[in-house]
Amino acid sequence: MSAKILIIEDDQRLSELIKRGLEEQGYATEVAFDGETGNKLVQSNRYDLIITDIILPKISGLDVCKNIRATNSFIPIIMLTALGTTDDKVEGFDAGANDYLVKPFDFRELHVRIRALLKRTNSEAQTKHIFKYADLEINDKTKVVTRSGKEISLTPKELKLLEYMIQNSERVLSRTEIAEKVWDTHFDTGTNFIDVYINYLRKKIDKDFPTKLIHTRSGMGFIFKAEPQ
């Protein structure tokens, strides 16, 4: 699956140039033209990297960055700005940015930095045994599950089910597939044990959060995807 990148930039010409360039390199992209919209998109979708200007309408890029870091310490953030002093860069890094690019810039330099950050982030996640999606994280080594920084207690089977769903996010999983991959058994259509465990998970990881992650697809199965209710 190609990396998904959110571009938060109020200069429509620049955002379109970045979007086109990234899509030519095989990335999936979305664009927000103000900080408030960008903030909402981050809360309700999964992205592999964020590119944001600092000076934005409604909410500044610095505040967007701080909001992201309040719930997600892993997603890489690149700040684009015309402000190039040392103090400006320090402020950006203090807000949680991973990298800083001063306008005007060469797209090739942006692309190199994106590749480096994605590679490093993937490597760190594998080393730490971290599975993450939206604001939910699983540490497979310590078996700790958190959502928006809140620790969630799961049984071993609930954890195995959640890990499988997060590793196969944004595609429909049939009950038969879940039974075979998580329970190592064939699904008996006369039983509803998978639905029971899905409901257990929903109560623990979705009930107290506005963005729901586990959804039923009638006649097909279930999908793990961030969708606001």
Side-chain angles (χ1 to χ4, degrees):
M1 183 184 296
S2 62
K4 189 174 181 180
I5 298 176
L6 175 63
I7 304 159
I8 311 174
E9 170 60 66
D10 62 326
D11 184 328
Q12 294 194 21
R13 179 178 174 276
L14 178 58
S15 63
E16 182 58 34
L17 287 172
I18 296 172
K19 176 180 173 66
R20 188 183 309 127
L22 292 177
E23 289 179 348
E24 287 175 355
Q25 297 298 325
Y27 299 103
T29 66
E30 285 190 70
V31 176
F33 297 113
D34 63 76
E36 183 177 44
T37 302
N39 203 44
K40 289 178 180 177
L41 286 172
V42 171
Q43 292 174 2
S44 59
N45 294 278
R46 179 187 67 83
Y47 298 102
D48 298 291
L49 185 138
I50 309 292
I51 299 171
T52 181
D53 194 3
I54 286 184
I55 301 175
L56 292 167
K58 298 183 180 180
I59 299 176
S60 75
L62 292 172
D63 286 335
V64 170
C65 191
K66 291 174 183 176
N67 291 339
I68 293 171
R69 288 293 175 249
T71 59
N72 190 321
S73 59
F74 294 99
I75 186 169
I77 301 172
I78 298 177
M79 285 194 163
L80 307 178
T81 182
L83 307 173
T85 69
T86 300
D87 286 344
D88 293 322
K89 292 180 180 179
V90 168
E91 189 175 14
F93 288 130
D94 283 348
N98 299 90
D99 207 346
Y100 200 109
L101 204 53
V102 178
K103 302 175 184 177
F105 56 86
D106 189 311
F107 177 80
R108 290 173 297 178
E109 182 177 0
L110 173 62
H111 186 217
V112 166
R113 296 191 186 201
I114 288 172
R115 284 190 304 177
L117 281 173
L118 289 175
K119 183 177 180 180
R120 188 178 77 191
T121 303
N122 289 336
S123 176
E124 288 176 351
Q126 290 171 10
T127 301
K128 295 177 181 178
H129 305 276
I130 298 294
F131 300 114
K132 52 189 174 66
Y133 184 95
D135 58 348
L136 184 137
E137 294 181 6
I138 304 172
N139 188 316
D140 188 49
K141 193 171 184 179
T142 63
K143 306 304 179 185
V144 172
V145 178
T146 60
R147 183 156 188 202
S148 292
K150 177 184 177 181
E151 188 168 333
I152 299 169
S153 177
L154 299 179
T155 66
K157 190 56 70 174
E158 289 168 351
L159 178 61
K160 188 174 181 181
L161 173 58
L162 181 60
E163 285 182 348
Y164 188 74
M165 296 191 81
I166 201 172
Q167 290 175 48
N168 293 274
S169 59
E170 301 189 4
R171 75 176 183 87
V172 176
L173 303 174
S174 68
R175 289 171 176 81
T176 299
E177 178 180 349
I178 293 173
E180 291 176 352
K181 300 298 184 181
V182 180
W183 272 269
D184 299 316
T185 187
H186 292 292
F187 178 61
D188 180 353
T189 55
T191 66
N192 67 342
F193 72 95
I194 290 176
D195 296 73
V196 169
Y197 271 90
I198 289 289
N199 286 331
Y200 288 161
L201 270 187
R202 279 190 172 127
K203 289 178 182 178
K204 292 185 177 182
I205 71 167
D206 273 347
K207 183 181 176 182
D208 298 326
F209 301 91
T211 299
K212 307 309 178 186
L213 297 176
I214 300 174
H215 308 274
T216 301
R217 293 292 187 259
S218 182
M220 296 185 288
F222 306 95
I223 188 169
F224 194 85
K225 182 179 181 182
E227 293 182 0
Q229 297 294 306

